[in-house]
PDB file of all heavy atoms in Angstrom:
ATOM      1  N   GLY B 107      92.087 103.526 122.744  1.00 98.00           N
ATOM      2  CA  GLY B 107      91.962 103.630 121.292  1.00 98.00           C
ATOM      3  C   GLY B 107      93.284 104.092 120.689  1.00 98.00           C
ATOM      4  O   GLY B 107      93.927 105.009 121.189  1.00 98.00           O
ATOM      5  N   LEU B 149      90.786 108.897 114.288  1.00 98.00           N
ATOM      6  CA  LEU B 149      90.886 109.325 115.701  1.00 98.00           C
ATOM      7  C   LEU B 149      89.489 109.673 116.240  1.00 98.00           C
ATOM      8  O   LEU B 149      89.130 109.279 117.344  1.00 98.00           O
ATOM      9  CB  LEU B 149      91.805 110.544 115.825  1.00 98.00           C
ATOM     10  CG  LEU B 149      93.312 110.269 115.883  1.00 98.00           C
ATOM     11  CD1 LEU B 149      94.097 111.549 115.579  1.00 98.00           C
ATOM     12  CD2 LEU B 149      93.727 109.694 117.229  1.00 98.00           C
ATOM     13  N   ASP B 150      88.706 110.393 115.412  1.00 98.00           N
ATOM     14  CA  ASP B 150      87.357 110.786 115.850  1.00 98.00           C
ATOM     15  C   ASP B 150      86.473 109.569 116.073  1.00 98.00           C
ATOM     16  O   ASP B 150      85.610 109.567 116.957  1.00 98.00           O
ATOM     17  CB  ASP B 150      86.692 111.687 114.791  1.00 98.00           C
ATOM     18  CG  ASP B 150      87.287 113.082 114.786  1.00 98.00           C
ATOM     19  OD1 ASP B 150      87.970 113.432 115.761  1.00 98.00           O
ATOM     20  OD2 ASP B 150      87.070 113.805 113.801  1.00 98.00           O
ATOM     21  N   CYS B 154      86.286 105.265 122.831  1.00 98.00           N
ATOM     22  CA  CYS B 154      87.209 104.794 123.870  1.00 98.00           C
ATOM     23  C   CYS B 154      87.358 105.819 124.991  1.00 98.00           C
ATOM     24  O   CYS B 154      86.823 106.924 124.918  1.00 98.00           O
ATOM     25  CB  CYS B 154      88.553 104.491 123.244  1.00 98.00           C
ATOM     26  SG  CYS B 154      89.322 105.951 122.553  1.00 98.00           S
ATOM     27  N   ASP B 155      88.128 105.458 126.012  1.00 97.00           N
ATOM     28  CA  ASP B 155      88.388 106.366 127.139  1.00 97.00           C
ATOM     29  C   ASP B 155      89.665 107.169 126.962  1.00 97.00           C
ATOM     30  O   ASP B 155      89.756 108.312 127.389  1.00 97.00           O
ATOM     31  CB  ASP B 155      88.485 105.540 128.421  1.00 97.00           C
ATOM     32  CG  ASP B 155      87.246 104.704 128.654  1.00 97.00           C
ATOM     33  OD1 ASP B 155      86.129 105.275 128.615  1.00 97.00           O
ATOM     34  OD2 ASP B 155      87.367 103.485 128.852  1.00 97.00           O
ATOM     35  N   VAL B 156      90.670 106.529 126.364  1.00 97.00           N
ATOM     36  CA  VAL B 156      91.971 107.172 126.185  1.00 97.00           C
ATOM     37  C   VAL B 156      92.414 106.961 124.739  1.00 97.00           C
ATOM     38  O   VAL B 156      92.372 105.837 124.233  1.00 97.00           O
ATOM     39  CB  VAL B 156      93.029 106.532 127.141  1.00 97.00           C
ATOM     40  CG1 VAL B 156      94.404 107.149 126.893  1.00 97.00           C
ATOM     41  CG2 VAL B 156      92.631 106.697 128.599  1.00 97.00           C
ATOM     42  N   LYS B 157      92.828 108.071 124.080  1.00 98.00           N
ATOM     43  CA  LYS B 157      93.259 107.967 122.677  1.00 98.00           C
ATOM     44  C   LYS B 157      94.777 108.162 122.550  1.00 98.00           C
ATOM     45  O   LYS B 157      95.336 109.083 123.147  1.00 98.00           O
ATOM     46  CB  LYS B 157      92.569 109.034 121.820  1.00 98.00           C
ATOM     47  CG  LYS B 157      91.095 108.833 121.627  1.00 98.00           C
ATOM     48  CD  LYS B 157      90.509 109.846 120.679  1.00 98.00           C
ATOM     49  CE  LYS B 157      88.999 109.634 120.623  1.00 98.00           C
ATOM     50  NZ  LYS B 157      88.334 110.551 119.670  1.00 98.00           N
ATOM     51  N   VAL B 158      95.389 107.327 121.727  1.00 98.00           N
ATOM     52  CA  VAL B 158      96.816 107.456 121.441  1.00 98.00           C
ATOM     53  C   VAL B 158      97.013 107.453 119.927  1.00 98.00           C
ATOM     54  O   VAL B 158      96.343 106.703 119.210  1.00 98.00           O
ATOM     55  CB  VAL B 158      97.604 106.303 122.097  1.00 98.00           C
ATOM     56  CG1 VAL B 158      99.055 106.285 121.633  1.00 98.00           C
ATOM     57  CG2 VAL B 158      97.549 106.402 123.617  1.00 98.00           C
ATOM     58  N   ALA B 159      97.876 108.328 119.454  1.00 98.00           N
ATOM     59  CA  ALA B 159      98.178 108.415 118.024  1.00 98.00           C
ATOM     60  C   ALA B 159      99.529 107.762 117.729  1.00 98.00           C
ATOM     61  O   ALA B 159     100.485 107.916 118.503  1.00 98.00           O
ATOM     62  CB  ALA B 159      98.231 109.898 117.587  1.00 98.00           C
ATOM     63  N   ALA B 187      99.728 116.817 113.413  1.00 98.00           N
ATOM     64  CA  ALA B 187      99.421 117.231 114.799  1.00 98.00           C
ATOM     65  C   ALA B 187      98.000 117.753 114.935  1.00 98.00           C
ATOM     66  O   ALA B 187      97.356 117.531 115.975  1.00 98.00           O
ATOM     67  CB  ALA B 187     100.398 118.313 115.240  1.00 98.00           C
ATOM     68  N   GLU B 188      97.489 118.444 113.913  1.00 98.00           N
ATOM     69  CA  GLU B 188      96.157 119.057 114.035  1.00 98.00           C
ATOM     70  C   GLU B 188      95.093 118.038 114.458  1.00 98.00           C
ATOM     71  O   GLU B 188      94.333 118.309 115.401  1.00 98.00           O
ATOM     72  CB  GLU B 188      95.754 119.725 112.715  1.00 98.00           C
ATOM     73  CG  GLU B 188      96.255 121.160 112.616  1.00 98.00           C
ATOM     74  CD  GLU B 188      95.703 121.892 111.410  1.00 98.00           C
ATOM     75  OE1 GLU B 188      95.724 121.308 110.299  1.00 98.00           O
ATOM     76  OE2 GLU B 188      95.264 123.033 111.569  1.00 98.00           O
ATOM     77  N   PRO B 189      94.966 116.905 113.791  1.00 98.00           N
ATOM     78  CA  PRO B 189      93.939 115.939 114.215  1.00 98.00           C
ATOM     79  C   PRO B 189      94.213 115.345 115.593  1.00 98.00           C
ATOM     80  O   PRO B 189      93.263 114.982 116.302  1.00 98.00           O
ATOM     81  CB  PRO B 189      93.952 114.867 113.118  1.00 98.00           C
ATOM     82  CG  PRO B 189      95.164 115.116 112.297  1.00 98.00           C
ATOM     83  CD  PRO B 189      95.597 116.513 112.500  1.00 98.00           C
ATOM     84  N   VAL B 190      95.493 115.225 115.964  1.00 98.00           N
ATOM     85  CA  VAL B 190      95.836 114.705 117.298  1.00 98.00           C
ATOM     86  C   VAL B 190      95.291 115.667 118.370  1.00 98.00           C
ATOM     87  O   VAL B 190      94.682 115.238 119.362  1.00 98.00           O
ATOM     88  CB  VAL B 190      97.368 114.556 117.427  1.00 98.00           C
ATOM     89  CG1 VAL B 190      97.768 114.251 118.861  1.00 98.00           C
ATOM     90  CG2 VAL B 190      97.878 113.482 116.485  1.00 98.00           C
ATOM     91  N   ASP B 191      95.492 116.965 118.128  1.00 98.00           N
ATOM     92  CA  ASP B 191      94.987 117.966 119.064  1.00 98.00           C
ATOM     93  C   ASP B 191      93.457 117.998 119.071  1.00 98.00           C
ATOM     94  O   ASP B 191      92.826 118.071 120.128  1.00 98.00           O
ATOM     95  CB  ASP B 191      95.531 119.361 118.688  1.00 98.00           C
ATOM     96  CG  ASP B 191      96.992 119.534 119.086  1.00 98.00           C
ATOM     97  OD1 ASP B 191      97.465 118.778 119.948  1.00 98.00           O
ATOM     98  OD2 ASP B 191      97.654 120.436 118.557  1.00 98.00           O
ATOM     99  N   ALA B 192      92.884 117.936 117.863  1.00 98.00           N
ATOM    100  CA  ALA B 192      91.418 118.004 117.755  1.00 98.00           C
ATOM    101  C   ALA B 192      90.746 116.840 118.478  1.00 98.00           C
ATOM    102  O   ALA B 192      89.660 116.977 119.060  1.00 98.00           O
ATOM    103  CB  ALA B 192      90.994 118.012 116.296  1.00 98.00           C
ATOM    104  N   ALA B 193      91.417 115.686 118.473  1.00 98.00           N
ATOM    105  CA  ALA B 193      90.835 114.486 119.087  1.00 98.00           C
ATOM    106  C   ALA B 193      91.095 114.427 120.593  1.00 98.00           C
ATOM    107  O   ALA B 193      90.543 113.569 121.283  1.00 98.00           O
ATOM    108  CB  ALA B 193      91.409 113.234 118.416  1.00 98.00           C
ATOM    109  N   GLY B 194      91.923 115.313 121.097  1.00 97.00           N
ATOM    110  CA  GLY B 194      92.234 115.283 122.527  1.00 97.00           C
ATOM    111  C   GLY B 194      92.981 114.017 122.915  1.00 97.00           C
ATOM    112  O   GLY B 194      92.726 113.420 123.970  1.00 97.00           O
ATOM    113  N   ALA B 195      93.927 113.618 122.077  1.00 98.00           N
ATOM    114  CA  ALA B 195      94.715 112.408 122.387  1.00 98.00           C
ATOM    115  C   ALA B 195      95.557 112.627 123.635  1.00 98.00           C
ATOM    116  O   ALA B 195      95.894 113.780 123.987  1.00 98.00           O
ATOM    117  CB  ALA B 195      95.614 112.059 121.192  1.00 98.00           C
ATOM    118  N   ALA B 196      95.869 111.544 124.309  1.00 98.00           N
ATOM    119  CA  ALA B 196      96.693 111.608 125.522  1.00 98.00           C
ATOM    120  C   ALA B 196      98.182 111.546 125.187  1.00 98.00           C
ATOM    121  O   ALA B 196      99.025 111.978 125.978  1.00 98.00           O
ATOM    122  CB  ALA B 196      96.323 110.471 126.462  1.00 98.00           C
ATOM    123  N   LEU B 197      98.492 111.000 123.994  1.00 98.00           N
ATOM    124  CA  LEU B 197      99.896 110.761 123.644  1.00 98.00           C
ATOM    125  C   LEU B 197      99.986 110.553 122.149  1.00 98.00           C
ATOM    126  O   LEU B 197      99.104 109.938 121.541  1.00 98.00           O
ATOM    127  CB  LEU B 197     100.372 109.497 124.394  1.00 98.00           C
ATOM    128  CG  LEU B 197     101.773 108.950 124.053  1.00 98.00           C
ATOM    129  CD1 LEU B 197     102.859 109.921 124.521  1.00 98.00           C
ATOM    130  CD2 LEU B 197     101.969 107.591 124.712  1.00 98.00           C
ATOM    131  N   ALA B 198     101.065 111.054 121.554  1.00 98.00           N
ATOM    132  CA  ALA B 198     101.351 110.771 120.142  1.00 98.00           C
ATOM    133  C   ALA B 198     102.761 110.193 120.048  1.00 98.00           C
ATOM    134  O   ALA B 198     103.713 110.779 120.561  1.00 98.00           O
ATOM    135  CB  ALA B 198     101.248 112.047 119.288  1.00 98.00           C
ATOM    136  N   THR B 212     102.700 118.609 120.911  1.00 97.00           N
ATOM    137  CA  THR B 212     102.065 119.225 119.745  1.00 97.00           C
ATOM    138  C   THR B 212     101.774 120.680 120.074  1.00 97.00           C
ATOM    139  O   THR B 212     101.841 121.097 121.245  1.00 97.00           O
ATOM    140  CB  THR B 212     100.719 118.552 119.429  1.00 97.00           C
ATOM    141  OG1 THR B 212      99.859 118.744 120.547  1.00 97.00           O
ATOM    142  CG2 THR B 212     100.884 117.059 119.142  1.00 97.00           C
ATOM    143  N   GLY B 214      99.056 121.972 120.418  1.00 96.00           N
ATOM    144  CA  GLY B 214      97.930 121.962 121.368  1.00 96.00           C
ATOM    145  C   GLY B 214      98.286 121.370 122.725  1.00 96.00           C
ATOM    146  O   GLY B 214      97.422 121.298 123.617  1.00 96.00           O
ATOM    147  N   GLY B 215      99.531 120.928 122.901  1.00 97.00           N
ATOM    148  CA  GLY B 215      99.964 120.463 124.214  1.00 97.00           C
ATOM    149  C   GLY B 215      99.914 118.961 124.436  1.00 97.00           C
ATOM    150  O   GLY B 215     100.223 118.473 125.526  1.00 97.00           O
ATOM    151  N   VAL B 216      99.554 118.196 123.402  1.00 98.00           N
ATOM    152  CA  VAL B 216      99.567 116.732 123.555  1.00 98.00           C
ATOM    153  C   VAL B 216     101.015 116.238 123.573  1.00 98.00           C
ATOM    154  O   VAL B 216     101.840 116.678 122.756  1.00 98.00           O
ATOM    155  CB  VAL B 216      98.806 116.049 122.389  1.00 98.00           C
ATOM    156  CG1 VAL B 216      98.929 114.535 122.458  1.00 98.00           C
ATOM    157  CG2 VAL B 216      97.335 116.474 122.399  1.00 98.00           C
ATOM    158  N   ARG B 217     101.290 115.350 124.523  1.00 98.00           N
ATOM    159  CA  ARG B 217     102.656 114.850 124.605  1.00 98.00           C
ATOM    160  C   ARG B 217     103.045 114.021 123.381  1.00 98.00           C
ATOM    161  O   ARG B 217     102.245 113.184 122.936  1.00 98.00           O
ATOM    162  CB  ARG B 217     102.840 114.053 125.870  1.00 98.00           C
ATOM    163  CG  ARG B 217     103.323 114.949 127.009  1.00 98.00           C
ATOM    164  CD  ARG B 217     103.183 114.332 128.326  1.00 98.00           C
ATOM    165  NE  ARG B 217     101.835 113.918 128.575  1.00 98.00           N
ATOM    166  CZ  ARG B 217     101.270 113.983 129.776  1.00 98.00           C
ATOM    167  NH1 ARG B 217     101.929 114.432 130.802  1.00 98.00           N
ATOM    168  NH2 ARG B 217     100.033 113.546 129.940  1.00 98.00           N
TER     169      ARG B 217
END
Side-chain angles (χ1 to χ4, degrees):
Chain B
L149 278 162
D150 286 344
C154 63
D155 304 308
V156 177
K157 291 185 185 183
V158 171
E188 272 187 315
V190 170
D191 284 341
L197 173 68
T212 62
V216 174
R217 269 164 305 215

